[in-house]
Amino acid sequence: ANFDLLLSHFKSYAYLLHDYANGIDNFGAFYHEVKRVCPNVGVCGDMGNSLFVGVEPEVFFRTFAKEIKHVHVKDYLRKKSPVQPGRYWLPAENGKNQMWLRDVLTGDGTVNLSGCMDVLRTVGYDGVYALELCHPEPYDEGVRQSIRVMEHL
């Protein structure tokens, strides 16, 4: 029962904070307020999700480098189009700028993976990396390629 109550609170807060925590400046202000009252929180360094709010992943990584506690590895293609370019394309920037993203195999997209890794090396990150494979290609192919790409970064 406590979990259900906690989940309902999170859903309410997520809805209220949708616009407030959108983008680096707003997310930064939100994160530092949360960190002030709950010092054990950290940031998930996701190599692609910041693109959905128009922020390059390596910029997000530089901004929150010392706060990153976990990393999601992923890659996207980008396309500017007034309409959805195809079945697997997702709207970025809440539909502004007519930008679309498509999950692809790690290394096949436009995310500056090496730039993100450089930031992590600079701050001595030694945490966990999780492959976030949402592309339409076969999963096992994505795992193999992701490992090959990450071993060379």
Side-chain angles (χ1 to χ4, degrees):
N2 287 340
F3 180 75
D4 291 335
L5 179 62
L6 183 62
L7 189 58
S8 72
H9 286 295
F10 276 129
K11 286 180 181 176
S12 297
Y13 294 136
Y15 177 76
L16 291 170
L17 295 171
H18 177 267
D19 290 330
Y20 179 74
N22 200 359
I24 278 188
D25 294 335
N26 291 340
F27 175 75
F30 168 73
Y31 172 74
H32 292 298
E33 273 303 302
V34 170
K35 183 93 174 170
R36 186 177 61 77
V37 296
C38 188
N40 65 333
V41 300
V43 170
C44 175
D46 190 295
M47 292 187 178
N49 282 354
S50 64
L51 292 171
F52 283 96
V53 293
V55 176
E56 293 297 322
E58 63 274 17
V59 171
F60 182 86
F61 274 55
R62 274 195 308 274
T63 303
F64 296 102
K66 293 180 180 174
E67 300 295 326
I68 293 175
K69 306 298 182 210
H70 185 84
V71 175
H72 288 179
V73 178
K74 64 167 56 157
D75 209 348
Y76 286 107
L77 286 177
R78 302 175 223 201
K79 184 178 268 190
K80 190 169 182 131
S81 174
V83 296
Q84 186 175 15
R87 178 175 173 194
Y88 298 109
W89 291 86
L90 305 168
E93 302 177 41
N94 293 325
K96 293 185 256 175
N97 301 320
Q98 302 176 336
M99 191 58 68
W100 298 84
L101 302 172
R102 182 189 185 278
D103 287 283
V104 294
L105 296 170
T106 305
D108 285 354
T110 60
V111 172
N112 183 356
L113 302 170
S114 61
C116 293
M117 293 300 292
D118 288 345
V119 170
L120 294 171
R121 276 191 285 279
T122 299
V123 296
Y125 176 79
D126 64 353
V128 174
Y129 293 86
L131 301 179
E132 193 171 332
L133 306 177
C134 302
H135 51 73
E137 292 80 14
Y139 184 78
D140 57 339
E141 183 181 340
V143 171
R144 282 191 301 275
Q145 181 163 320
S146 295
I147 291 170
R148 273 195 314 274
V149 168
M150 293 304 290
E151 285 176 338
H152 291 94
L153 291 178

